[in-house]
Amino acid sequence: MYTSIVAFDIAQFFSFLNHQLLPLILNKVGFDYKVSKFFSNYLVDRKTKYLWNNFSSPFYNIDVRVGQDSALSLILFALYLSPIFHILENHLKNLKIPIFSLSFVDDSLFISQNKLLSVSNANLFCNYNVISSLLTKFDLVMEHNKTEVFHFSRSYRAFTPSPLDLFPLGGPHLLPKTTWKYLGFIFNYKLLFQAHINFYANKTILNVKCIKMLENSTRGLILL
């Protein structure tokens, strides 16, 4: 059994939210008209300026996105994307494509499981086709270089999975990664943690060496 995962960075869409479409989405999910009206006004005619020491820039329009420094932006971002994933789930169900999705903050995973790796890749390809079409309809621009593919396998033999070719969809030729980092954990294809332990052990040793450099000749740090 192979478990294949396409990691999809949804934070890439943060700068492309359509301000005209957002109020319609808020109405659709049940928010009061006054709330939708407030955000339709809140997001238009926005300006910003940059300060650096004594330098002050002129004002620039920022009507093309939601501000990443605002606490409301993440909420609006999630509300904007929620219909896309709902429609995607229904499309995959109707097309009988066995793909599961999992999202955490700004990362989404599309997961396929099958005894044949070629079938898993085919399912992921179809899923990518559907999600690409939906994102285009929601006026979102995809950055394909932020997509990754990874395969888990129980095989004890050398594991050399085939790439996931998204070129017909305007995407890249995704080469499977040998290790995969997700939510701070580093995995290999057999779910072993040697790479995770090595990475953080080396990082700890490097930090200790950096601390030692802070000592002075009179009274410094004593490392046991």
Side-chain angles (χ1 to χ4, degrees):
M1 176 68 72
Y2 296 97
T3 300
S4 302
I5 295 175
V6 165
F8 194 70
D9 181 16
I10 58 177
Q12 62 182 289
F13 306 123
F14 211 93
S15 300
F16 299 102
L17 268 64
N18 187 316
H19 295 170
Q20 295 179 345
L21 186 58
L22 180 60
L24 299 178
I25 293 175
L26 294 178
N27 285 331
K28 190 69 175 179
V29 297
F31 281 88
D32 187 86
Y33 171 76
K34 293 181 180 179
V35 176
S36 303
K37 186 66 175 177
F38 167 78
F39 281 112
S40 64
N41 293 326
Y42 168 75
L43 291 172
V44 299
D45 295 329
R46 294 167 62 90
K47 299 180 183 295
T48 188
K49 67 185 307 184
Y50 300 95
L51 302 176
W52 181 264
N53 294 331
N54 296 325
F55 170 77
S56 177
S57 74
F59 280 97
Y60 295 96
N61 292 324
I62 53 171
D63 287 344
V64 294
R65 61 182 178 89
V66 293
Q68 295 192 27
D69 56 344
S70 170
L72 290 173
S73 296
L74 289 174
I75 300 173
L76 296 175
F77 180 66
L79 290 170
Y80 190 92
L81 292 181
S82 58
I84 298 176
F85 287 97
H86 177 71
I87 296 171
L88 173 65
E89 183 179 348
N90 289 334
H91 279 11
L92 295 177
K93 184 177 180 180
N94 293 334
L95 296 172
K96 297 182 179 180
I97 302 175
I99 292 289
F100 307 95
S101 62
L102 176 66
S103 295
F104 184 82
V105 188
D106 59 353
D107 287 318
S108 284
L109 306 180
F110 300 119
I111 306 168
S112 175
Q113 291 183 312
N114 200 279
K115 293 181 179 180
L116 296 176
L117 187 57
S118 58
V119 176
S120 286
N121 272 348
N123 290 334
L124 291 173
F125 179 89
C126 294
N127 174 81
Y128 200 85
N129 188 18
V130 175
I131 189 67
S132 298
S133 176
L134 287 175
L135 292 171
T136 300
K137 292 179 180 179
F138 276 75
D139 204 20
L140 296 176
V141 179
M142 292 188 65
E143 298 179 20
H144 300 287
N145 60 339
K146 294 187 177 181
T147 304
E148 300 176 340
V149 63
F150 190 82
H151 302 283
F152 291 102
S153 171
R154 297 178 181 178
S155 174
Y156 290 97
R157 297 174 295 178
F159 183 56
T160 54
S162 57
L164 178 60
D165 187 8
L166 301 176
F167 186 76
L169 304 177
H173 195 69
L174 292 180
L175 297 175
K177 300 176 69 68
T178 55
T179 58
W180 179 53
K181 186 175 182 180
Y182 186 66
L183 301 182
F185 292 93
I186 302 174
F187 307 96
N188 70 355
Y189 74 93
K190 293 183 69 174
L191 277 180
L192 300 179
F193 285 85
Q194 289 95 333
H196 180 86
I197 294 171
N198 290 338
F199 175 82
Y200 284 102
N202 291 330
K203 185 176 182 179
T204 301
I205 293 172
L206 179 61
N207 288 338
V208 171
K209 290 181 177 179
C210 291
I211 293 174
K212 188 176 180 179
M213 295 172 62
L214 298 176
E215 64 181 339
N216 57 51
S217 59
T218 303
R219 181 177 181 181
L221 300 172
I222 300 176
L223 301 179
L224 302 178

